Amino acid sequence: MEEQPAYFVKSVEKAFDVLLAFTAASPRLTVSQVAVKADMTRASARRFLLTLTDLGYLRADGPQFELTPRSLDIGQSFLANLTLPRVAEPHLKSLAARLNETTSLCILDGTDVVYVACVPSPRLLSVSISVGTRFPAWATSMGRVLLAALSEPELQAYFDSVHLQRFTERSIGSVDQLRAEIDSARVKGWSMVSQELEEGLRGVAVPVWRGNDVVAAINVSLQTHRAPAEAIEKTVVPLLQDAARQIGNDFGGRQAGLSKAAGQR
């Protein structure tokens, strides 16, 4: 076992072990259960549980203990400054550098996708998109992975209200075609839209999961002559998925099981 530094207070570590024993799957625990989860004796677990109860972080209900709202105080200062764009930015910068292309983070707002973070390509010639830019969700790769995360009633309501138009001759022309693309994005866990919004431009996107919820999509914009469509699944998609996983983890999704794939909904 790695030796701890001289300043290390073992009892603090143990106190957090006890608090972290309580999870969404195990919100109420007995002394014996905490002892097992925190790897300590039953007597030690009891002392920690009673102390944390006296401090207001736990409450006792018969033989069981559970967290109280005061436990939220521990992370409140951090959460107050936690925004998805801020969390995503370093990962988007890393992705842009690796791909040498523009990367973005988008959310669904009504029938549109809205860019909430964007890192331009390191190259001088890049796609010109800024925070606040909006596009019809149906015409973009980001929109299709976000639409794929909707419930069936929500998606049907979207189809009932959407108005399709031809941006290029490659644009989808019917709701049936759109539904097929959205279904494909749900199964694959990613989407690619090629020259449907603008000639010469291809977009690839994957969802950002926070636990079991899709909170955003990340996208890379590629000029068609720089990235053959057949190579994107092997070269670009894995990098996007890795960045999305890191963003979701940093945004609080790790313990809730972010690795759940879109196709398993």
Side-chain angles (χ1 to χ4, degrees):
M1 179 180 295
E2 183 179 350
E3 185 177 348
Q4 301 290 358
Y7 62 80
F8 195 84
V9 181
K10 191 70 175 177
S11 59
V12 175
E13 179 187 33
K14 287 296 184 182
F16 276 99
D17 286 342
V18 169
L19 288 172
L20 293 173
F22 296 87
T23 65
S26 303
R28 293 163 62 86
L29 297 170
T30 64
V31 172
S32 296
Q33 290 171 323
V34 169
V36 171
K37 282 176 166 283
D39 191 23
M40 61 178 65
T41 66
R42 190 179 185 281
S44 293
R46 182 175 181 276
R47 289 197 299 272
F48 277 107
L49 286 166
L50 292 177
T51 300
L52 289 166
T53 298
D54 287 347
L55 291 172
Y57 292 101
L58 296 174
R59 71 165 61 95
D61 183 11
Q64 295 184 315
F65 293 81
E66 62 184 356
L67 295 173
T68 69
R70 187 173 183 184
S71 63
L72 296 173
D73 293 347
I74 296 172
Q76 192 60 43
S77 296
F78 172 72
L79 290 174
N81 293 311
L82 181 65
T83 66
L84 184 55
R86 183 178 297 174
V87 167
E89 186 174 3
H91 300 293
L92 293 177
K93 286 181 177 178
S94 176
L95 185 62
R98 295 182 70 179
L99 293 174
N100 203 29
E101 300 288 356
T102 296
T103 59
S104 308
L105 179 81
C106 294
I107 60 171
L108 191 63
D109 182 29
T111 59
D112 294 339
V113 291
V114 180
Y115 286 75
V116 294
C118 187
V119 176
S121 165
R123 294 181 290 111
L124 291 177
L125 296 176
S126 61
V127 179
S128 179
I129 295 173
S130 59
V131 171
T133 297
R134 306 174 73 97
F135 289 121
W138 64 267
T140 68
S141 58
M142 308 84 74
R144 291 178 191 177
V145 295
L146 291 170
L147 291 170
L150 297 180
S151 66
E152 184 55 36
E154 291 171 328
L155 189 57
Q156 187 56 56
Y158 173 82
F159 289 141
D160 291 341
S161 63
V162 70
H163 173 67
L164 304 181
Q165 66 182 95
R166 292 278 187 178
F167 290 102
T168 74
E169 60 183 28
R170 296 179 177 83
S171 298
I172 276 181
S174 73
V175 169
D176 287 342
Q177 286 180 302
L178 177 59
R179 179 180 279 278
E181 289 294 326
I182 292 171
D183 288 344
S184 176
R186 183 181 300 112
V187 171
K188 294 188 302 182
W190 60 279
S191 174
M192 178 170 65
V193 173
S194 185
Q195 302 188 88
E196 292 189 39
L197 189 62
E198 183 178 337
E199 293 287 353
L201 186 64
R202 179 178 292 128
V204 188
V206 303
V208 175
W209 290 85
R210 188 184 194 187
N212 296 328
D213 299 317
V214 172
V215 294
I218 60 170
N219 156 270
V220 59
S221 298
L222 308 162
Q223 294 176 344
T224 52
H225 71 273
R226 288 179 54 83
E230 58 273 12
I232 284 176
E233 183 172 3
K234 293 182 179 180
T235 61
V236 175
V237 172
L239 296 179
L240 275 169
Q241 291 174 329
D242 184 57
R245 185 161 43 248
Q246 293 180 57
I247 292 169
N249 285 347
D250 288 354
F251 196 52
R254 187 185 303 275
Q255 287 188 329
L258 185 70
S259 59
K260 180 176 180 179
Q264 295 176 312
R265 291 182 70 251

